[in-house]
Amino acid sequence: EAGVAQSPRYKIIEKRQSVAFWCNPISGHATLYWYQQILGQGPKLLIQFQNNGVVDDSQLPKDRFSAERLKGVDSTLKIQPAKLEDSAVYLCASSFVGQETQYFGPGTRLLVL
Amino acid sequence: AQSVSQHNHHVILSEAASLELGCNYSYGGTVNLFWYVQYPGQHLQLLLKYFSGDPLVKGIKGFEAEFIKSKFSFNLRKPSVQWSDTAEYFCAVNQNFGNEKLTFGTGTRLTIIP
């Protein structure tokens, strides 16, 4: 079974530029999560979708971050404009509805200069 | 708000030594508990999980964890570590409502010396 796919794996941008990350969850997983993992910390949830609806975006910095999951499958996370403190690994995870176990993708490592 | 504490930031052991990594959480309700592992260059993988029932849970690769409700703890153990166990270990918790977000600890880096 294919796992959670993410791209790109690495991205280097300058501050104030924009960047987008893509995630394709495991087939059949209706719930999708985006986490931010800053160096030396555990992952922190940014946004959670169930199908194409937002379940929790309470920790998403909405002035610069946005995310969508238009068809209830793939998802994109965008940062515009990026700040130095956005340097982190952005992880996508997915799960079946009603299932507690989340499966993680390889992440996108972002460096903002 | 729930939180997770992992007190050991970096643990260094020799092969065949016994391992115990601490994890404490703060939340008064019913929780699910997880240990995830991240091997060098790889993505987060589930090591084991506790939802209910027997508080001693066994996971992959000889790992186990014990849920002690009175201590709000879910420590990870392995009787004899191998060099291949070198990785970062994260404890996580979510509320037992279904599809709830995970709250992670800061992780413990484990280095095994051959």
Side-chain angles (χ1 to χ4, degrees):
Chain A
E1 177 183 279
V4 177
Q6 289 188 247
S7 68
R9 293 294 308 275
Y10 305 92
K11 190 74 178 178
I12 301 174
I13 61 173
E14 294 186 349
K15 60 183 179 183
R16 291 189 288 273
Q17 286 187 322
S18 63
V19 64
F21 313 128
W22 173 82
C23 172
N24 184 267
I26 292 172
S27 178
H29 282 192
T31 307
L32 185 147
Y33 312 78
W34 283 102
Y35 289 85
Q36 180 192 57
Q37 185 177 12
I38 294 172
L39 188 65
Q41 300 181 20
K44 181 187 80 171
L45 181 76
L46 292 175
I47 188 167
Q48 176 184 344
F49 292 93
Q50 186 161 309
N51 295 308
N52 59 354
V54 175
V55 174
D56 184 347
D57 63 356
S58 57
Q59 297 189 89
L60 186 73
K62 298 180 186 63
D63 57 334
R64 298 183 300 106
F65 285 65
S66 64
E68 60 183 15
R69 195 185 183 200
L70 294 176
K71 297 182 180 179
V73 180
D74 294 9
S75 177
T76 56
L77 175 70
K78 296 178 182 177
I79 308 175
Q80 182 178 13
K83 293 186 175 181
L84 297 177
E85 59 261 36
D86 298 331
S87 294
V89 177
Y90 291 84
L91 298 167
C92 180
S94 69
S95 67
F96 285 113
V97 173
Q99 294 290 318
E100 304 296 351
T101 302
Q102 298 178 25
Y103 297 87
F104 285 81
T108 296
R109 187 176 297 274
L110 174 68
L111 179 60
V112 182
L113 301 175
Chain B
Q2 55 199 6
S3 65
V4 178
S5 298
Q6 292 182 247
H7 306 295
N8 311 107
H9 296 293
H10 190 191
V11 173
I12 302 173
L13 294 172
S14 298
E15 275 192 311
S18 64
L19 169 72
E20 181 160 3
L21 301 182
C23 172
N24 288 90
Y25 68 94
S26 66
Y27 181 68
T30 303
V31 296
N32 302 308
L33 296 153
F34 305 81
W35 276 96
Y36 279 86
V37 61
Q38 189 166 28
Y39 297 104
Q42 297 188 26
H43 59 276
L44 275 168
Q45 302 171 40
L46 183 66
L47 201 53
L48 49 79
K49 59 189 178 186
Y50 171 81
F51 292 167
S52 63
D54 188 344
L56 183 63
V57 293
K58 295 190 184 300
I60 60 172
K61 303 186 180 185
F63 285 90
E64 65 179 30
E66 185 175 13
F67 170 51
I68 303 179
K69 189 175 182 179
S70 60
K71 295 184 178 180
F72 296 89
S73 70
F74 190 57
N75 292 354
L76 181 71
R77 300 194 294 248
K78 186 171 183 179
S80 177
V81 294
Q82 301 172 311
W83 177 78
S84 58
D85 294 325
T86 295
E88 188 141 20
Y89 293 79
F90 292 93
C91 182
V93 62
N94 67 6
Q95 296 177 44
N96 192 10
F97 292 157
N99 292 123
E100 287 296 310
K101 67 181 181 184
L102 286 169
T103 298
F104 283 86
T106 52
T108 297
R109 185 153 63 101
L110 176 64
T111 301
I112 305 300
I113 301 170

